[in-house]
């Protein structure tokens, strides 16, 4: 399995409703990407202060790397990805992606 961890530095002006809409858009991909097993999202709650400014994020569990790769190219993912880039501080520099095989 693959855990696709995405951490976000939203622009200060990004409203909670926009964040929620983005997360719902990601979760909706579960209906169109076979093998996308689970989606979790929300704000960072760590007390350590080591978040590097990434205060929000989501984690998707995929059956395998092939499913993850299909998701990355899926047109609905591209739409949600563009929305994320527009909402994050510095565009792509406001997004950190870390994939881990479990």
């Amino acid at each position: 399995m693959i855990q696709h961890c995405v951490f976000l530095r939203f622009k200060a002006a990004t409203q909670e409703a926009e964040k929620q809409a983005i997360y719902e858009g990601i979760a909706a991909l579960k209906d169109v990407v076979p093998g996308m097993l689970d989606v979790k999202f929300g704000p960072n709650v760590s007390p350590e202060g080591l978040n590097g400014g990434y205060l929000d994020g989501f984690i998707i569990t995929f059956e395998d790397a092939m499913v993850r790769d299909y998701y990355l190219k899926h047109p609905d993912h591209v739409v949600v990805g563009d929305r994320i880039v527009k909402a994050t501080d510095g565009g792509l520099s406001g997004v950190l992606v870390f994939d881990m095989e479990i």
Side-chain angles (χ1 to χ4, degrees):
M1 287 195 288
I2 298 287
Q3 291 224 303
H4 179 66
C5 308
V6 181
F7 306 108
L8 307 167
R9 282 192 319 233
F10 282 113
K11 293 176 183 173
T14 304
Q15 301 292 317
E16 287 301 318
E18 174 64 5
K19 292 179 187 181
Q20 190 63 33
I22 287 169
Y23 294 141
E24 288 171 6
I26 293 162
L29 288 165
K30 215 173 145 188
D31 296 332
V32 296
V33 177
M36 187 171 161
L37 304 176
D38 191 34
V39 180
K40 304 277 191 227
F41 53 83
N44 177 31
V45 296
S46 174
E48 294 179 289
L50 300 173
N51 56 49
Y54 295 90
L55 302 179
D56 296 271
F58 58 93
I59 299 173
I60 302 171
T61 304
F62 295 104
E63 279 182 4
D64 55 33
M66 189 168 66
V67 174
R68 187 253 342 258
D69 295 349
Y70 174 75
Y71 155 89
L72 292 174
K73 296 176 184 174
H74 194 282
D76 293 351
H77 170 261
V78 173
V79 170
V80 175
D82 288 345
R83 193 171 185 179
I84 289 169
V85 170
K86 289 177 184 167
T88 52
D89 192 24
L92 281 177
S93 66
V95 180
L96 175 67
V97 177
F98 184 92
D99 287 359
M100 181 171 40
E101 196 164 10
I102 56 170

